[in-house]
């Protein structure tokens, strides 16, 4: 299946570093065997937004591909597109799906002052601390979510260990208070998991991390850097201030476990 969207192209390239992406010709199957509960790692990718009358069809196709794994209890549909087309949104909602749009942003340079924090690449041994930071920031504090964060950190540790990604940290003294990852994929570099401890937000730390990571990636061959944000969110405004512009909008649908 030919994919037009840069955002989706980078998502698929990231997925392939952890699991499998299988091309069925008219759709793609993304599977993450080490985490069947990962909503964005076990996905059916459609060539376009589902139209009226197609939601049940694609849900059945998802079941035939991923529903055989009884540990996967959600249904996630992504689709190609660059304008944020939500297709048969009412039909998706009636079938129990939550429809989401995202803003795909790119930059050829990212500029921000470093401020008074120590900003540097993280060693592989430090990657697990990013899971602790996500736990501190998260709305959920249940065991499945903790396990999800630990599995994600293990994957990111493997990427950093083999030189396939760089994760950056912002430190207040010796405490990790912000982090992000940047993964070279498809000729660009894609940001991952930008996060700042609540007590340290609005102090320029995210911008400093974004800029330091971008300079490193662009100096090492990336044509540009790519980040995905919730449309018109505070995060997207931060990204705009340091040099990102919106390239496209994408959409997807999730039916959570019952």
């Amino acid at each position: 299946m030919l994919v037009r969207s840069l955002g989706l192209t980078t998502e698929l390239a990231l997925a392939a570093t952890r699991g499998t992406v299988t091309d069925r010709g008219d759709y793609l199957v993304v599977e993450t065997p080490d985490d069947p509960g990962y909503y964005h790692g076990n996905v059916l990718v459609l060539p376009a937004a589902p139209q009226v009358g197609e939601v049940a069809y694609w849900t059945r196709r998802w079941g035939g591909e991923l529903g055989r794994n009884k540990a996967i209890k959600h249904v996630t549909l992504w689709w190609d597109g660059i304008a944020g087309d939500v297709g048969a949104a009412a039909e998706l909602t009636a079938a129990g799906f939550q429809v989401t749009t995202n803003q795909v942003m790119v930059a050829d340079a990212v500029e921000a002052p470093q401020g008074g924090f120590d900003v540097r690449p993280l060693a592989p041994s430090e990657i697990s601390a990013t899971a602790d930071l996500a736990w501190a920031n998260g709305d959920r504090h249940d065991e499945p979510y903790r396990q999800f964060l630990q599995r994600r950190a293990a994957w990111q540790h493997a990427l950093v260990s083999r030189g396939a990604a760089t994760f950056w940290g912002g430190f207040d003294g010796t405490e990790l208070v912000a982090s992000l990852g940047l993964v070279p994929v498809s000729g660009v570099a894609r940001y991952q998991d930008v996060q700042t401890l609540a007590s340290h937000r609005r102090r320029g730390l995210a911008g400093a991390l974004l800029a330091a990571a971008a300079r490193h990636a662009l100096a090492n061959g990336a044509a540009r850097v790519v980040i995905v944000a919730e449309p018109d969110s505070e995060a997207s405004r931060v990204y705009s201030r340091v040099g990102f512009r919106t390239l496209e909008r994408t959409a997807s649908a999730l039916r959570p476990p019952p």
Side-chain angles (χ1 to χ4, degrees):
M1 187 184 99
L2 180 65
V3 175
R4 294 181 299 149
S5 163
L6 177 63
L8 180 55
T9 296
T10 57
E11 288 283 3
L12 294 170
L14 285 168
T17 69
R18 185 176 179 184
T20 61
V21 179
T22 304
D23 191 341
R24 298 297 193 207
D26 59 341
Y27 64 93
L28 305 173
V29 182
V30 177
E31 191 164 8
T32 304
D34 74 335
D35 196 351
Y38 182 24
Y39 294 165
H40 302 296
N42 299 282
V43 181
L44 201 70
V45 184
L46 320 185
Q51 300 303 306
V52 173
E54 295 181 348
V55 173
Y57 168 79
W58 285 116
T59 303
R60 288 194 301 272
R61 296 304 293 263
W62 189 96
E65 294 283 0
L66 293 160
R68 293 172 293 181
N69 183 344
K70 300 307 179 185
I72 302 176
K73 301 183 184 302
H74 65 277
V75 177
T76 302
L77 303 176
W78 289 346
W79 50 85
D80 193 20
I82 59 174
D85 180 12
V86 297
E91 190 171 307
L92 284 161
T93 301
F97 286 91
Q98 302 164 359
V99 180
T100 301
T101 59
N102 281 310
Q103 201 170 335
V104 180
M105 307 178 76
V106 297
D108 304 308
V110 180
E111 300 294 339
Q114 181 169 330
F117 297 97
D118 178 22
V119 172
R120 61 171 175 80
L122 297 176
S125 61
E126 296 176 301
I127 298 299
S128 62
T130 66
D132 297 333
L133 181 57
W135 177 262
N137 276 340
D139 296 327
R140 289 177 55 185
H141 291 95
D142 52 82
E143 187 57 27
Y145 184 58
R146 183 187 292 277
Q147 292 175 5
F148 163 76
L149 293 175
Q150 290 172 342
R151 285 190 290 262
R152 185 177 71 179
W155 164 57
Q156 293 167 346
H157 176 276
L159 288 177
V160 173
S161 295
R162 66 175 187 260
T166 305
F167 273 71
W168 293 74
F171 292 83
D172 187 354
T174 60
E175 181 186 9
L176 180 70
V177 294
S179 67
L180 57 77
L182 201 52
V183 186
V185 289
S186 306
V188 300
R190 169 69 186 268
Y191 285 94
Q192 285 284 282
D193 304 324
V194 181
Q195 55 181 356
T196 303
L197 196 64
S199 59
H200 286 69
R201 291 174 187 163
R202 301 182 184 276
R203 297 166 66 178
L205 192 46
L209 278 171
L210 290 162
R215 285 193 294 269
H216 179 269
L218 294 168
N220 283 276
R224 53 186 170 175
V225 289
V226 183
I227 200 164
V228 175
E230 182 181 339
D232 306 314
S233 62
E234 178 59 30
S236 71
R237 288 188 284 274
V238 170
Y239 303 155
S240 294
R241 286 197 293 270
V242 298
F244 285 88
R245 65 187 185 279
T246 299
L247 177 70
E248 60 190 37
R249 292 179 185 261
T250 59
S252 61
L254 164 69
R255 189 172 73 193

